[in-house]
Amino acid sequence: QESSQDVVIARHILEHVLDTVGTIREWRRVVRVGGKLIIAVPDERVTHSITLNPEHCHSFTTESLRNLMEVCGLKEVGAASAKNGVSFVGCYERLN
């Protein structure tokens, strides 16, 4: 349901989908204004994730994911290493 969730967590999903913008917009649709979208993806600065896993359609850095989120109407709250040697986790807020 639209604007029904305080938080949506997506762990290692976004790198697998063809339509990243459509997927993020759907996640944003269900998050209430002021709610958070938390995303974990492989960090392209650490590992070449598409080479690592041929099921990956996209790769991200903290900067590229921040830019993508802004295009989709979300503001970065923070991003940090997942401390696993492969990934980072970003937190983004729906502003309106």
Side-chain angles (χ1 to χ4, degrees), residues 1-8 24-33 35 94:
Q1 187 172 348
E2 190 163 329
S3 300
S4 62
Q5 303 300 311
D6 292 327
V7 178
V8 169
I24 293 165
R25 286 185 174 160
E26 180 60 18
W27 292 338
R28 181 188 177 276
R29 183 186 71 78
V30 301
V31 172
R32 68 171 174 76
V33 173
R94 179 176 172 183

Side-chain angles (χ1 to χ4, degrees), residues 63-94:
E63 295 81 14
S64 69
L65 189 57
R66 178 187 321 113
N67 292 337
L68 182 58
M69 292 297 154
E70 287 178 4
V71 165
C72 294
L74 294 139
K75 180 181 178 185
E76 183 180 80
V77 175
S81 168
K83 306 284 189 208
N84 63 6
V86 176
S87 307
F88 70 90
V89 178
C91 181
Y92 309 89
E93 181 177 358
R94 179 176 172 183

Side-chain angles (χ1 to χ4, degrees), residues 2-64:
E2 190 163 329
S3 300
S4 62
Q5 303 300 311
D6 292 327
V7 178
V8 169
I9 299 171
R11 292 184 59 240
H12 295 278
I13 295 170
L14 197 59
E15 66 270 21
H16 293 274
V17 301
L18 293 176
D19 182 4
T20 55
V21 171
T23 299
I24 293 165
R25 286 185 174 160
E26 180 60 18
W27 292 338
R28 181 188 177 276
R29 183 186 71 78
V30 301
V31 172
R32 68 171 174 76
V33 173
K36 306 293 188 285
L37 175 56
I38 300 171
I39 299 179
V41 291
D43 190 340
E44 188 63 19
R45 296 169 304 177
V46 176
T47 183
H48 299 291
S49 69
I50 293 175
T51 305
L52 180 69
N53 184 341
E55 294 178 355
H56 290 180
C57 302
H58 302 280
S59 60
F60 302 96
T61 63
T62 54
E63 295 81 14
S64 69

